[in-house]
Amino acid sequence: MNLDFTLEYQEFRAEVRDFLETHKDSAPRMSDRGVRSEKRRAWQKILLEHGYAARTLPKEYGGHGAAPDALKSRIIAEEFSRAKMPGGISGQGINMLVPTLLELGTEEQKQKYIEPTLTGEMVWCQGYSEPGAGSDLAALRTSAVLEGDHFVVNGQKIWTSTAAQADMIFCLVRTEPDAPKHQGISYLLFSMDTPGIEVRPLMTMTGQAEFNEVFFTDVRVPADQIVGQRGEGWMVANATLTHERGMLGDPDAALSRLNSIAEIMQKETVDGAPLMDNAVFRDRLIALQAEVFAMKFNGMRLTTSATQKKSGGMAGMIVKLQGCELNHRLAELAIDVMGEYGILFEDSPFIRDHGMWQTAYMFDLGLIIGGGSAQIQKNIISERGLEMPREPKVAKK
Amino acid sequence: MNLDFTLEYQEFRAEVRDFLETHKDSAPRMSDRGVRSEKRRAWQKILLEHGYAARTLPKEYGGHGAAPDALKSRIIAEEFSRAKMPGGISGQGINMLVPTLLELGTEEQKQKYIEPTLTGEMVWCQGYSEPGAGSDLAALRTSAVLEGDHFVVNGQKIWTSTAAQADMIFCLVRTEPDAPKHQGISYLLFSMDTPGIEVRPLMTMTGQAEFNEVFFTDVRVPADQIVGQRGEGWMVANATLTHERGMLGDPDAALSRLNSIAEIMQKETVDGAPLMDNAVFRDRLIALQAEVFAMKFNGMRLTTSATQKKSGGMAGMIVKLQGCELNHRLAELAIDVMGEYGILFEDSPFIRDHGMWQTAYMFDLGLIIGGGSAQIQKNIISERGLEMPREPKVAKK
Amino acid sequence: MYFGLSEDQIMLQDSVRRFLEAQSELEHVRVYAEGDDALAGQLQNGLMELGVPLVFIPEAQGGLGMGVLEAALIQEMLGRFVAPSAFTPAYGMAVAGLNVGTNADQRNVWLGRIVGGDVVMGVGVTEAVGAREGAGLTLSAGAVSGRASFVMGAETATHFLLAAGDALVIIDRAADGVTETALTTIDKTRKTIMLDLENVTCDVLEGSAQPAVETMINVGRVLLAADSFGAAEMMLQKAVAYAKDREQFNRPIASFQAVKHMCADMAARLEPCRSLLWYAAYAQDNVPEEGPLMACMAKSHISEVGKFIARTATEVHGGMGFTDLMGLHYWFKRIGFNRQLLGGPEKTRHDAAVLQGFSN
Amino acid sequence: MYFGLSEDQIMLQDSVRRFLEAQSELEHVRVYAEGDDALAGQLQNGLMELGVPLVFIPEAQGGLGMGVLEAALIQEMLGRFVAPSAFTPAYGMAVAGLNVGTNADQRNVWLGRIVGGDVVMGVGVTEAVGAREGAGLTLSAGAVSGRASFVMGAETATHFLLAAGDALVIIDRAADGVTETALTTIDKTRKTIMLDLENVTCDVLEGSAQPAVETMINVGRVLLAADSFGAAEMMLQKAVAYAKDREQFNRPIASFQAVKHMCADMAARLEPCRSLLWYAAYAQDNVPEEGPLMACMAKSHISEVGKFIARTATEVHGGMGFTDLMGLHYWFKRIGFNRQLLGGPEKTRHDAAVLQGFSN
């Protein structure tokens, strides 16, 4: 146990701070961070140059080429968070497709797609889930039939974020309908401008359309736009799902949420007394604080594991389940302490913290139940972490 | 909604109170309520005479022969509880075997067993569960092989309460080993004095042996000591399990536990301040109070359903699951408010309420996980109450 | 002793249920929520025809003279179908306040106008539950000034019945000096506003305002609990139906033990709430010494169980529960809204402790 | 930055684990619990040979000079194997108190005697956490009187280190005026007593007692948390092993989704506790400004998670978990005992609030 940073890392941190200080006026404002924002791309360019985005990706494909260093990555995340500065672009293209191409793409695919994705010129969306294939993703039914040198794609995807703004999609389709379900899937890349694609926004309980439905009608995709071989798509996609874990963001986000609640409780009053004087709410705050600390230290432990190139084991497996739940419960407390003010929404007058709490309360619930739901996370923990047996196969009737 | 009692019931209540006042010196004291206590049997005789035990059972078998009246039953339970007087004997013989015999026994069996069971002369234990057959009770393996005019019983039972004091056992055995598991079981009655029976006390986490293990080695049971036909034992046992629901006891037991906790909190102090001044504990107390009230009113609703000869439906199905859980959580709060004193146990100096809280905390957990565990209760609620499908059969490997 | 509903009560509730089943299906709810008042007005008229606004008004003033239990049974249905109705403030709380807090003349006048339909009350008693920074009304020379926050029933109110310190006053919504600020809340099926008043002429109710305000809060708490109970019951029903319908891994998800147990937990926690609600409502009229305590018990406990069910039923629906497609969020938000108004669970439990002498 | 154990720390913990695996299997635990002190003494001697009592004593006084983290790693193992050891009071809290709360001479004398083995301390600081009716010690003319409740470490103590108002005193267990009352607690693997003192001669520690008592409580809280963590980890492990082994309906119960999810919930809640425990222990020596807060955090949170696991692991075992046959209750009760001593979760959370200026 040694929480001090060596001189090398202290210097690195100073370097990051210098960078942030020097470039603070170049960062796009909150309103200017859309996937198509020019300011965002200019900022991304600066980050790429200095190695604060695509840090460990090979130089030949537009990355910074640095050796992986979990501690430096953490320092970058911490300092950007502390300075309230936006980090690099973090869409599904960069976080999921790029690592997949690096691992399984052809040289031509790497050359063609990685660099424009890193710079933000090429925006991707992901076509995995379908209305009938959620937790049972491999049951997907969107079909791709080879006709000459094109696949013809028909079907429907759901939960596709940024579909309306995306240039390209990486998409799972069923190419071998007669094979066992995990062996009949292929992984295609194609332009969202291809004729036959319709995108419909998918409104959620937060009142915003964070996702879309995407419909394919006779969409023609050149046959070489495939990653891996025909029928290997499930394996390719699983490589990508593994990379999804990297998308953790601000390690101390929960702590800063907690501190915001403490601030509300100290500042606001009922019948003249600060909310913090309410012992019951205070007890809940402290109970959550202990959980926040536990997750923070768990994260530090994972960083150390990563610097040692060791698996995080159970400490890593539980992060998503516990993290989402904790954020949801923080929002729940914030709403409860605010009493009637807790039900204000969107841009209502008198709203606190720009309405983030109700939105977070619902969105985090969506994360708990959405893609890779809590139920699935628990299966993973019990099967991979605790080595408990899988559900037995159901007998045919 | 009408919570007043009609004159008939007011008079009945007055009658019960009169009875209790008149006979208060006849009731056995706490230390004198064992299944073999003479005082207990004398008390049972008085109760039988006045119709406060075996109230609705036919006179010809020693019952009181009254028409079933759920409201009168409730009034009896309430008044006995209020007077802190013990009710009638309530072992598994009276509560489970007697209703089963009335429904499925031969006339000879009814004549022979019911009356002595009601008077407390004949004490029964139940031989159902086995180490390998808990929630999957029908998987039981204790065998009974017909040799001439006797069954020869071999095997082991567990969770057998009062086995050491019992005269007789009603016991499930496998008589047709080749039949499907539910169809190979028979229901036998035999004396605990039969050679080849060994009873071993089963100590639990409370530090007491509330249960026993019972071992059978070549135990010879006359072939006519069977209830129902060979292979019908599962059906006979299920009739009995249905009767188990009747064993509810004091309808306001949870409320009186809650009130005891409130008393502790008002009486005892930390650093000079009553425990009740602790807002966090107080909040927990009131939250539990709301649940206690909800269960109390749920019980009143069930009494009304019963007086109308209607099924309680979901209100009835949830009683065991919610009731055990609530009692467990009441004990949990009592322990927490007592701080260090909460860990005192058994006959320790300084112990509160004769040590009932830790014992209840553990014993109620035993009820939650024991015979008809919470998991099984939830299956029943979802399958019978919500009409959700049963678990599908597992495929053979 | 009979712990249950009478045949009349069952019939009343069924008639409201049948009406709302037809009038308040999801597509209508979406229209209300998007601010189309025409359809909501149509629903109001239908409820009016059923006599719903009159149930809780005494016969002497031209109402049907029923009690809080009947009002709760109606509100349960309104919650069940997330209907856009100001029944709780306009025909529950306001009527309860006027029954207690005024002299016979004022009572006859105001209840008569409510029965006649030319007056619909909104209510503002939030500050009597707990005043947030700066809020509160003061009365001076027959005029009222200050802020009333989270005033309920703004969708239909022509007048407002407001707690002003130790008094209870009625103002005309159109009076001089009234500034309204519309609030956007999570629940788009009901409308809540802030009122800033500057020397607004008012009718000060004679008689003791304190018990009247308390009665309004008690009745309001019971009715919000009824609304959440109805909404939670519907969410459970929807979750079970969805689970039977939705297949994953070649079997309905209702056959997975984890899903079954989630539904069983919901049912086990919800069912006793029904009896608690009935008793709490019944006690308001029939066991007055227990009325305030039982209002706290029902409000706090059903809020907690409601929240559990709102979340768990959404979880059973998986991603679909999170989208707008199934509209499940209308019920989720309705339960969330009820939880916070007139005192959240911690506040109502605190009140319950005070009522029993457990706290100051 | 390195957030994890050093190789030495891992080796230390492993050596204690291996020793206890052999010495503290269930059959031994039963024997200790039934009051057979011989076997417990044998275990003490073994720990002594491993140097366990010395780890936390400074090198200057002949100890190994390790920190609270090492002590916590040892205590975790003692909890894991529900070992009958007074390590927490005798070699954790008492040593921490002597390190802070006295002058160099007294420190040398008492720590020296502890190292030498002729003194073993019990500790009584319950009243400094919260005094129940009538309890508390007063000091007068070098003699101490009153009641110290829930004094820890009675199994091996020759002396007691006691908080007496603003002072910290040591008494000889055999001194005149000492009346002991043995307490029966749920945890039969550790011994706790009441001490009633009447003018008992004592050694009053010079220096400031307040910080010393606080340090004792902080270290005690971390070590009780470590004990519960170790016990909870073992209960989870036993639940998973039992579920894989036990068959119902022709399949191991570990293949039922409900059982799997219970185990996953346990693991998900327990794993972050490990990091919290490490940091809380580490902070006592290395981040003193966070030490008291982190002791509260670890004690309260691990107590809550421990209770959840005690119950859930028992539930996974079904009826077997409730019997004495599997002995699971020794772990259950150990966690229950730790929860209540030196401040339950509500008390430690309150202390955490005070430390952060959130409450008085």
Side-chain angles (χ1 to χ4, degrees):
Chain A
M1 208 77 164
N2 176 359
L3 303 187
D4 299 331
F5 288 87
T6 59
L7 197 58
E8 179 195 354
Y9 289 102
Q10 291 176 35
E11 283 172 2
F12 182 74
R13 190 185 290 278
E15 203 179 286
V16 180
R17 286 194 187 179
D18 272 356
F19 167 82
L20 289 168
E21 181 58 28
T22 310
H23 293 84
K24 67 181 171 204
D25 297 327
S26 308
R29 293 173 187 286
M30 195 60 87
S31 56
D32 215 0
R33 294 185 191 168
V35 289
R36 288 285 169 208
S37 151
E38 277 309 320
K39 289 216 171 132
R40 182 84 208 224
R41 281 193 204 158
W43 179 237
Q44 177 77 358
K45 190 156 174 273
I46 297 173
L47 296 179
L48 285 167
E49 268 165 30
H50 289 80
Y52 298 134
R55 178 173 180 78
T56 60
L57 297 187
K59 281 202 167 160
E60 51 190 311
Y61 305 122
H64 188 72
D69 185 325
L71 214 43
K72 288 191 177 168
S73 302
R74 191 183 167 93
I75 288 170
I76 296 171
E78 282 176 359
E79 292 304 320
F80 275 67
S81 161
R82 182 192 315 239
K84 297 191 165 55
M85 296 271 267
I89 290 174
S90 68
Q92 288 170 319
I94 288 187
N95 290 306
M96 301 179 72
L97 176 70
V98 167
T100 304
L101 286 182
L102 282 170
E103 204 170 318
L104 300 164
T106 63
E107 188 54 36
E108 198 191 332
Q109 286 167 340
K110 294 181 197 175
Q111 295 287 352
K112 189 167 164 191
Y113 297 123
I114 296 179
E115 184 153 6
T117 303
L118 297 184
T119 60
E121 278 161 71
M122 187 180 279
V123 176
W124 292 83
C125 63
Q126 168 196 292
Y128 281 12
S129 295
E130 298 184 5
S135 49
D136 185 13
L137 184 57
L140 62 91
R141 287 186 303 202
T142 292
S143 69
V145 177
L146 194 61
E147 290 184 8
D149 55 358
H150 280 75
F151 286 108
V152 180
V153 179
N154 281 283
Q156 181 194 347
K157 294 291 173 180
I158 195 170
W159 305 117
T160 317
S161 46
T162 66
Q165 303 99 315
D167 304 288
M168 297 285 294
I169 185 168
F170 53 100
C171 189
L172 291 181
V173 294
R174 187 161 300 282
T175 45
E176 341 289 303
D178 301 324
K181 71 179 175 181
H182 293 90
Q183 288 160 38
I185 295 169
S186 296
Y187 189 107
L188 299 185
L189 313 176
F190 51 97
S191 166
M192 287 297 284
D193 291 334
T194 321
I197 301 181
E198 189 200 346
V199 174
R200 287 189 211 152
L202 182 64
M203 182 87 86
T204 73
M205 68 194 302
T206 67
Q208 287 153 43
E210 294 99 339
F211 302 98
N212 300 275
E213 294 177 285
V214 181
F215 296 84
F216 304 117
T217 313
D218 292 333
V219 176
R220 295 180 63 82
V221 178
D224 62 352
Q225 296 275 84
I226 188 169
V227 181
Q229 301 299 310
R230 268 182 71 157
E232 286 185 3
W234 183 252
M235 182 271 290
V236 178
N238 270 308
T240 315
L241 282 174
T242 313
H243 294 300
E244 195 181 9
R245 286 221 209 122
M247 301 166 69
L248 282 176
D250 179 2
D252 292 335
L255 190 57
S256 89
R257 278 194 189 193
L258 182 101
N259 291 338
S260 300
I261 302 172
E263 237 171 72
I264 293 173
M265 289 177 67
Q266 289 174 299
K267 212 172 55 189
E268 304 207 7
T269 63
V270 169
D271 290 338
L275 299 175
M276 190 62 94
D277 285 4
N278 183 312
V280 179
F281 287 136
R282 203 168 59 219
D283 185 71
R284 273 175 68 185
L285 178 77
I286 305 288
L288 285 171
Q289 190 181 31
E291 294 205 48
V292 167
F293 279 134
M295 288 308 289
K296 177 187 154 94
F297 301 135
N298 188 70
M300 289 168 72
R301 185 172 155 222
L302 286 172
T303 302
T304 292
S305 297
T307 60
Q308 301 192 298
K309 315 266 186 276
K310 285 183 191 157
S311 153
M314 185 61 86
M317 265 179 254
I318 56 96
V319 167
K320 185 168 179 192
L321 183 66
Q322 289 301 93
C324 290
E325 184 64 39
L326 186 51
N327 278 334
H328 179 69
R329 282 169 51 217
L330 284 165
E332 183 179 56
L333 174 61
I335 290 166
D336 279 352
V337 301
M338 289 191 288
E340 292 88 356
Y341 285 82
I343 58 170
L344 297 180
F345 199 43
E346 296 171 348
D347 55 356
S348 180
F350 303 102
I351 200 157
R352 270 47 175 176
D353 294 332
H354 310 286
M356 69 167 276
W357 295 110
Q358 278 287 357
T359 303
Y361 182 65
M362 296 179 207
F363 192 75
D364 291 332
L365 181 61
L367 288 180
I368 292 170
I369 65 184
S373 73
Q375 303 286 313
I376 300 292
Q377 296 290 324
K378 288 179 192 177
N379 285 346
I380 292 173
I381 292 169
S382 57
E383 288 164 18
R384 297 194 204 156
L386 301 172
E387 297 174 338
M388 297 175 84
R390 299 178 68 97
E391 282 271 302
K393 284 251 170 67
V394 171
K396 302 268 185 235
K397 279 162 211 157
Chain B
M1 208 77 165
N2 176 0
L3 303 187
D4 298 331
F5 288 88
T6 60
L7 197 59
E8 178 194 355
Y9 290 103
Q10 289 176 36
E11 283 172 3
F12 183 75
R13 190 185 292 277
E15 203 180 284
V16 180
R17 286 194 187 178
D18 273 355
F19 167 83
L20 289 169
E21 181 58 29
T22 311
H23 293 84
K24 66 182 173 204
D25 297 328
S26 308
R29 293 174 186 286
M30 195 60 87
S31 56
D32 215 359
R33 295 184 190 169
V35 291
R36 288 284 169 210
S37 151
E38 276 310 318
K39 289 217 171 131
R40 183 84 208 224
R41 281 193 204 159
W43 180 236
Q44 177 76 358
K45 189 154 174 275
I46 297 172
L47 295 179
L48 284 168
E49 268 166 31
H50 290 79
Y52 298 133
R55 178 172 180 78
T56 59
L57 296 187
K59 282 201 167 164
E60 52 189 309
Y61 305 122
H64 188 71
D69 185 326
L71 215 42
K72 287 191 177 167
S73 303
R74 191 183 168 92
I75 287 170
I76 295 171
E78 282 175 358
E79 292 304 321
F80 275 67
S81 162
R82 182 191 315 238
K84 296 192 165 57
M85 296 272 268
I89 291 172
S90 69
Q92 289 169 320
I94 288 187
N95 291 305
M96 300 179 72
L97 177 70
V98 167
T100 303
L101 286 181
L102 281 170
E103 205 171 319
L104 300 164
T106 62
E107 188 54 37
E108 198 191 332
Q109 287 167 340
K110 293 181 195 176
Q111 296 287 354
K112 187 166 166 191
Y113 296 124
I114 295 181
E115 185 154 5
T117 303
L118 297 184
T119 60
E121 279 162 70
M122 186 180 280
V123 176
W124 292 83
C125 63
Q126 169 195 291
Y128 282 11
S129 295
E130 298 184 4
S135 49
D136 186 11
L137 183 58
L140 61 90
R141 287 187 303 201
T142 292
S143 69
V145 177
L146 195 62
E147 290 184 6
D149 55 359
H150 280 74
F151 286 108
V152 180
V153 179
N154 281 284
Q156 182 194 347
K157 295 290 173 183
I158 194 171
W159 304 117
T160 316
S161 45
T162 64
Q165 303 99 316
D167 304 288
M168 297 285 294
I169 185 168
F170 52 101
C171 188
L172 291 180
V173 294
R174 187 160 300 283
T175 45
E176 340 290 303
D178 300 326
K181 72 178 175 182
H182 293 90
Q183 288 159 38
I185 295 169
S186 297
Y187 190 107
L188 299 185
L189 313 176
F190 52 96
S191 167
M192 287 297 284
D193 291 336
T194 322
I197 300 180
E198 188 199 348
V199 174
R200 287 189 209 152
L202 182 63
M203 182 86 86
T204 74
M205 69 193 300
T206 67
Q208 287 153 42
E210 295 99 339
F211 303 97
N212 301 275
E213 295 177 284
V214 181
F215 297 83
F216 305 117
T217 312
D218 293 332
V219 176
R220 295 179 64 83
V221 178
D224 62 352
Q225 296 276 82
I226 188 170
V227 181
Q229 301 299 309
R230 266 182 73 156
E232 286 185 1
W234 183 251
M235 183 270 290
V236 177
N238 269 307
T240 315
L241 282 173
T242 313
H243 294 300
E244 195 180 8
R245 288 225 206 118
M247 301 166 70
L248 281 177
D250 179 3
D252 293 335
L255 190 58
S256 88
R257 278 194 188 193
L258 182 102
N259 291 338
S260 301
I261 302 172
E263 236 172 73
I264 293 173
M265 289 176 68
Q266 288 174 302
K267 211 172 56 189
E268 304 208 6
T269 63
V270 170
D271 289 338
L275 298 175
M276 190 61 95
D277 285 4
N278 183 312
V280 180
F281 287 136
R282 203 168 58 218
D283 186 71
R284 274 174 68 184
L285 178 78
I286 305 288
L288 285 171
Q289 190 181 31
E291 294 206 49
V292 167
F293 280 134
M295 288 307 291
K296 175 187 156 92
F297 301 137
N298 188 70
M300 288 167 72
R301 185 172 155 222
L302 286 173
T303 302
T304 292
S305 298
T307 59
Q308 302 192 298
K309 315 265 186 278
K310 285 183 190 157
S311 153
M314 185 61 86
M317 263 179 255
I318 57 96
V319 167
K320 185 166 179 194
L321 183 66
Q322 288 301 92
C324 290
E325 183 64 39
L326 186 52
N327 279 334
H328 179 69
R329 282 169 51 216
L330 285 166
E332 183 179 57
L333 174 61
I335 291 166
D336 278 352
V337 302
M338 289 191 289
E340 292 87 357
Y341 285 82
I343 58 171
L344 296 180
F345 200 43
E346 294 170 349
D347 56 355
S348 180
F350 304 101
I351 201 158
R352 269 51 174 173
D353 294 331
H354 309 287
M356 70 167 276
W357 295 110
Q358 279 286 358
T359 302
Y361 182 66
M362 296 179 207
F363 192 75
D364 291 332
L365 181 61
L367 289 180
I368 292 170
I369 65 184
S373 73
Q375 304 285 314
I376 300 292
Q377 296 289 326
K378 288 178 192 177
N379 286 346
I380 292 172
I381 292 169
S382 57
E383 288 165 17
R384 297 194 203 155
L386 301 173
E387 297 174 340
M388 296 174 85
R390 299 179 69 97
E391 282 271 304
K393 284 250 168 70
V394 172
K396 302 268 185 236
K397 279 160 212 160
Chain C
M1 193 214 65
Y2 179 88
F3 193 101
L5 303 182
S6 68
E7 295 211 356
D8 284 350
Q9 287 164 341
I10 292 169
M11 273 174 57
L12 170 70
Q13 195 173 36
D14 277 350
S15 70
V16 178
R17 181 199 310 262
R18 277 194 306 272
F19 169 72
L20 291 173
E21 241 160 13
Q23 281 297 312
S24 194
E25 76 266 38
L26 183 57
E27 286 321 305
H28 282 200
V29 172
R30 288 194 196 284
V31 175
Y32 314 138
E34 279 153 25
D36 181 331
D37 292 339
L39 208 52
Q42 188 181 314
L43 187 134
Q44 300 312 327
N45 292 339
L47 290 173
M48 200 84 80
E49 276 167 38
L50 283 173
V52 160
L54 300 182
V55 290
F56 191 48
I57 296 174
E59 289 179 274
Q61 278 84 27
L64 298 173
M66 298 183 191
V68 179
L69 178 53
E70 284 83 356
L73 295 173
I74 290 169
Q75 190 64 52
E76 178 190 335
M77 286 302 120
L78 294 168
R80 184 178 176 87
F81 296 99
V82 292
S85 160
F87 180 78
T88 285
Y91 303 110
M93 296 170 72
V95 173
L98 289 167
N99 277 342
V100 172
T102 179
N103 63 33
D105 284 350
Q106 284 177 314
R107 183 177 307 142
N108 284 332
V109 168
W110 286 110
L111 288 177
R113 294 180 70 189
I114 290 173
V115 169
D118 53 323
V119 162
V120 181
M121 289 286 173
V123 304
V125 294
T126 295
E127 282 67 39
V129 176
R132 295 294 291 251
E133 30 278 283
L137 299 178
T138 51
L139 190 62
S140 164
V144 62
S145 299
R147 170 175 291 169
S149 64
F150 294 91
V151 174
M152 300 164 70
E155 47 271 73
T156 45
T158 61
H159 292 69
F160 293 109
L161 178 57
L162 304 170
D166 294 333
L168 198 52
V169 304
I170 296 176
I171 63 166
D172 189 320
R173 189 171 190 165
D176 284 344
V178 176
T179 307
E180 291 185 21
T181 309
L183 300 175
T184 308
T185 77
I186 48 172
D187 180 10
K188 300 271 197 292
T189 64
R190 286 173 295 179
K191 293 203 171 63
T192 306
I193 57 173
M194 294 282 197
L195 280 180
D196 284 290
L197 307 182
E198 210 183 316
N199 255 322
V200 176
T201 314
C202 62
D203 188 6
V204 181
L205 297 188
E206 288 175 26
S208 51
Q210 203 52 35
V213 171
E214 279 166 18
T215 302
M216 288 172 73
I217 293 170
N218 293 335
V219 170
R221 285 174 173 174
V222 170
L223 295 183
L224 290 176
D227 196 78
S228 286
F229 178 76
E233 217 183 355
M234 188 61 135
M235 286 192 92
L236 169 56
Q237 190 176 315
K238 281 173 181 278
V240 170
Y242 182 82
K244 288 180 188 172
D245 194 50
R246 167 84 171 170
E247 295 210 348
Q248 292 276 278
F249 302 103
N250 292 321
R251 44 193 266 215
I253 62 169
S255 71
F256 285 98
Q257 209 186 11
V259 172
K260 286 164 72 176
H261 286 194
M262 284 163 83
C263 292
D265 280 333
M266 287 194 269
R269 293 190 63 184
L270 185 60
E271 195 57 38
C273 291
R274 188 191 310 277
S275 303
L276 177 61
L277 176 63
W278 286 353
Y279 186 80
Y282 171 83
Q284 301 307 314
D285 295 313
N286 300 284
V287 197
E289 69 279 14
E290 293 184 10
L293 179 63
M294 288 301 156
C296 291
M297 290 287 161
K299 176 69 161 68
S300 60
H301 184 56
I302 295 173
S303 293
E304 300 286 26
V305 172
K307 182 165 81 167
F308 167 74
I309 286 173
R311 175 188 163 146
T312 309
T314 305
E315 223 166 321
V316 168
H317 281 77
M320 275 300 130
F322 178 55
T323 67
D324 181 56
L325 294 174
M326 316 243 354
L328 200 70
H329 63 94
Y330 289 109
W331 283 262
F332 185 100
K333 291 167 178 172
R334 188 113 170 181
I335 292 169
F337 178 98
N338 293 336
R339 178 181 174 90
Q340 306 300 102
L341 251 65
L342 302 180
E346 290 79 8
K347 168 64 177 159
T348 38
R349 285 195 291 264
H350 176 73
D351 287 354
V354 172
L355 284 163
Q356 297 176 92
F358 294 160
S359 180
N360 301 317
Chain D
M1 193 212 68
Y2 179 88
F3 193 101
L5 303 182
S6 69
E7 296 209 356
D8 284 351
Q9 288 164 340
I10 293 169
M11 275 174 55
L12 170 70
Q13 195 174 34
D14 278 351
S15 69
V16 178
R17 181 199 310 263
R18 277 193 307 272
F19 169 72
L20 291 173
E21 243 161 12
Q23 281 297 313
S24 194
E25 75 266 37
L26 184 59
E27 286 321 306
H28 282 199
V29 173
R30 290 194 195 283
V31 175
Y32 313 140
E34 279 153 26
D36 181 332
D37 293 339
L39 207 52
Q42 188 180 316
L43 186 135
Q44 300 309 329
N45 292 339
L47 290 173
M48 202 81 84
E49 276 168 37
L50 282 173
V52 161
L54 299 183
V55 288
F56 191 49
I57 296 174
E59 289 178 277
Q61 278 84 26
L64 298 173
M66 297 183 193
V68 179
L69 179 53
E70 284 83 357
L73 295 173
I74 290 170
Q75 191 63 52
E76 178 190 334
M77 286 301 120
L78 294 168
R80 184 179 176 86
F81 296 99
V82 292
S85 160
F87 180 77
T88 285
Y91 303 110
M93 295 170 72
V95 173
L98 289 167
N99 277 341
V100 172
T102 180
N103 63 32
D105 283 352
Q106 283 177 314
R107 183 177 308 143
N108 284 332
V109 169
W110 286 110
L111 288 177
R113 294 179 69 187
I114 290 172
V115 170
D118 53 324
V119 162
V120 181
M121 290 283 174
V123 304
V125 293
T126 295
E127 282 67 39
V129 176
R132 295 293 292 252
E133 30 280 282
L137 299 178
T138 50
L139 191 61
S140 165
V144 61
S145 298
R147 169 175 293 170
S149 64
F150 294 90
V151 174
M152 299 164 69
E155 47 271 73
T156 46
T158 60
H159 292 68
F160 293 110
L161 178 56
L162 305 169
D166 294 332
L168 198 53
V169 305
I170 296 176
I171 63 166
D172 189 320
R173 188 172 191 165
D176 284 343
V178 176
T179 308
E180 290 185 24
T181 310
L183 300 175
T184 307
T185 77
I186 48 172
D187 181 9
K188 301 270 198 291
T189 64
R190 286 173 294 179
K191 292 204 171 63
T192 306
I193 57 173
M194 294 282 196
L195 280 180
D196 285 289
L197 308 183
E198 210 184 315
N199 256 322
V200 176
T201 314
C202 62
D203 188 7
V204 181
L205 296 188
E206 289 176 27
S208 50
Q210 203 52 34
V213 171
E214 280 166 18
T215 301
M216 289 172 72
I217 293 170
N218 293 334
V219 170
R221 285 173 173 175
V222 170
L223 296 183
L224 290 177
D227 195 78
S228 286
F229 178 77
E233 218 184 354
M234 188 61 136
M235 286 192 92
L236 169 58
Q237 190 177 314
K238 282 173 182 277
V240 170
Y242 182 82
K244 289 180 188 172
D245 194 50
R246 166 84 171 169
E247 294 210 350
Q248 292 276 278
F249 302 103
N250 292 320
R251 46 193 265 216
I253 63 168
S255 71
F256 286 97
Q257 209 186 10
V259 173
K260 286 164 73 176
H261 287 194
M262 285 163 83
C263 291
D265 279 332
M266 287 193 270
R269 293 190 63 184
L270 185 60
E271 194 57 37
C273 291
R274 188 192 311 277
S275 303
L276 177 61
L277 175 65
W278 286 354
Y279 186 80
Y282 171 82
Q284 301 307 314
D285 295 313
N286 300 284
V287 198
E289 68 280 15
E290 293 184 10
L293 179 63
M294 288 300 156
C296 292
M297 291 287 162
K299 175 71 160 66
S300 60
H301 184 56
I302 295 173
S303 293
E304 302 286 26
V305 173
K307 182 164 79 167
F308 166 73
I309 287 173
R311 176 189 162 146
T312 310
T314 305
E315 222 167 322
V316 168
H317 281 78
M320 276 300 130
F322 178 57
T323 67
D324 181 58
L325 293 173
M326 316 244 352
L328 200 68
H329 63 94
Y330 289 110
W331 284 262
F332 185 100
K333 291 167 178 170
R334 188 111 170 182
I335 291 170
F337 178 98
N338 293 337
R339 178 181 174 91
Q340 306 300 102
L341 250 67
L342 302 181
E346 290 80 6
K347 167 63 177 161
T348 38
R349 284 195 292 264
H350 177 74
D351 287 354
V354 172
L355 285 163
Q356 297 176 90
F358 294 159
S359 179
N360 301 316

